[in-house]
Amino acid sequence: MASYNKLAALMGEHQEMATFRRFQRLNAKSILYMQAEILHLERELDMIELEDKVSADKNRALLHESVFNLKESSGYPHDVQWSKVLEVRKKLEAYNKALVLFSRVQGLPSPCGRDLKTLQEWLDRPEGGDFFLQGREADTWNDENDILTLSRHEAERDTVTGFFNDLVIPWYHRLSTRWNKGAETRDANGVWHYHYNSMIAAVNTISTCLSSLLPSTSIFILYFLQSPVARLTAITVFTTIFSSTLFMITKARRIDVFAATTALVPTLSLTLRTLTDFVGLHTQ
């Protein structure tokens, strides 16, 4: 029988299924409420400090001059200011903690559409969740803009990995299941599973090949181009391809991509000149 236990088992076995609500609106509202509370407390503390400062009571009038005196007032009739300071401190601690936690939650990646769709389909399938979620709980994963994932795969995702995950694997799955071969059998949860490490190995292989082929191919083609205009055009094309590829297969910052692309042009020119001089020397 389907239950939260079965859903938890699915998420534990397939980390890409570990998706949860962010509750962005509620988190923001809670922080806004705390912010409003602190604003009122700040005003109250200012008023108390002013009253103590102009008080005829010497003990109260000196509180603003010494934190030691302020703390020592605890338990005495004039300890209103210190009590309010402690109240503000407690609220600020909760407020700051909520801000940091909300920031971390907002920094968590969103699941890819395919993984979220797989979970939604599993919840509806008889061999899966079998519609065990009822009422309001059945809408938990319907708002895709408010969903996060704990999968490290999404955190490591780049353009090439996303291409494989969103296009290549679904295409391969449809093709292999149509011919009843190639696809792995479903697991106990009724989910088709493809090893993530295999996909990463394929992506790494492609990235390694591109990192070797792009510079060497550029030099090879430039060597056979005799026209300066043709060479300049080719260099422009190759640097564009290089920067685009670097941006897609890595998580480099724009400044890093710019620096690497800028360094490529003199490298190509120097290598081409050295190669031309070497060939010219041996053909004399």
Side-chain angles (χ1 to χ4, degrees), residues 115-131:
D115 290 339
L116 183 57
K117 183 179 179 181
T118 299
L119 176 61
Q120 292 169 338
E121 291 175 348
W122 181 90
L123 289 168
D124 295 343
R125 287 204 307 266
E127 69 274 19
D130 195 22
F131 295 97

Side-chain angles (χ1 to χ4, degrees), residues 1-239:
M1 181 178 179
S3 65
Y4 273 108
N5 288 334
K6 189 172 183 179
L7 178 58
L10 172 72
M11 291 183 174
E13 186 171 349
H14 302 285
Q15 61 172 289
E16 63 274 9
M17 297 289 102
T19 59
F20 304 91
R21 289 288 296 273
R22 291 184 196 273
F23 293 110
Q24 297 178 91
R25 184 177 63 86
L26 284 179
N27 274 306
K29 183 184 289 188
S30 176
I31 292 174
L32 287 172
Y33 286 171
M34 282 191 285
Q35 177 179 263
E37 289 181 76
I38 293 172
L39 285 171
H40 288 292
L41 287 174
E42 182 182 32
R43 178 61 177 169
E44 292 172 11
L45 181 59
D46 289 341
M47 294 298 295
I48 293 172
E49 288 177 347
L50 181 61
E51 291 175 3
D52 285 344
K53 189 174 182 180
V54 299
S55 173
D57 185 341
K58 184 178 180 180
N59 291 326
R60 292 179 61 186
L62 295 177
L63 290 178
H64 73 282
E65 296 181 358
S66 171
V67 175
F68 178 80
N69 292 337
L70 187 62
K71 291 179 64 177
E72 289 299 311
S73 68
S74 179
Y76 291 92
H78 58 278
D79 71 345
V80 179
Q81 184 179 159
W82 180 243
S83 297
K84 186 60 65 175
V85 168
L86 294 179
E87 185 181 356
V88 170
R89 182 179 295 173
K90 187 175 181 180
K91 283 292 182 182
L92 280 174
E93 182 180 359
Y95 175 75
N96 293 334
K97 184 180 295 184
L99 281 177
V100 172
L101 291 177
F102 188 39
S103 174
R104 291 179 181 177
V105 169
Q106 291 294 81
L108 292 172
S110 300
C112 72
R114 188 172 64 87
D115 290 339
L116 183 57
K117 183 179 179 181
T118 299
L119 176 61
Q120 292 169 338
E121 291 175 348
W122 181 90
L123 289 168
D124 295 343
R125 287 204 307 266
E127 69 274 19
D130 195 22
F131 295 97
F132 84 91
L133 293 175
Q134 300 296 320
R136 187 72 179 95
E137 296 175 34
D139 299 329
T140 302
W141 285 274
N142 289 346
D143 186 0
E144 61 183 30
N145 295 320
D146 196 44
I147 304 293
L148 61 84
T149 179
L150 300 181
S151 172
R152 64 178 178 85
H153 300 160
E154 287 302 315
E156 299 170 353
R157 184 186 181 98
D158 55 38
T159 305
V160 180
T161 305
F163 173 77
F164 268 79
N165 191 53
D166 298 337
L167 296 175
V168 176
I169 290 181
W171 173 81
Y172 173 74
H173 177 74
R174 289 193 298 268
L175 183 65
S176 59
T177 50
R178 179 180 301 176
W179 293 97
N180 294 319
K181 61 181 181 179
E184 300 180 19
T185 56
R186 299 190 185 205
D187 59 17
N189 295 304
V191 176
W192 293 96
H193 179 61
Y194 295 89
H195 289 297
Y196 181 78
N197 290 337
S198 300
M199 181 179 68
I200 290 299
V203 171
N204 289 340
T205 300
I206 292 174
S207 301
T208 302
C209 291
L210 286 175
S211 65
S212 302
L213 287 174
L214 280 177
S216 56
T217 303
S218 303
I219 296 171
F220 183 81
I221 294 177
L222 287 172
Y223 175 76
F224 287 99
L225 295 176
Q226 300 302 319
S227 169
V229 175
R231 284 187 173 181
L232 288 173
T233 303
I235 289 176
T236 302
V237 172
F238 286 131
T239 52

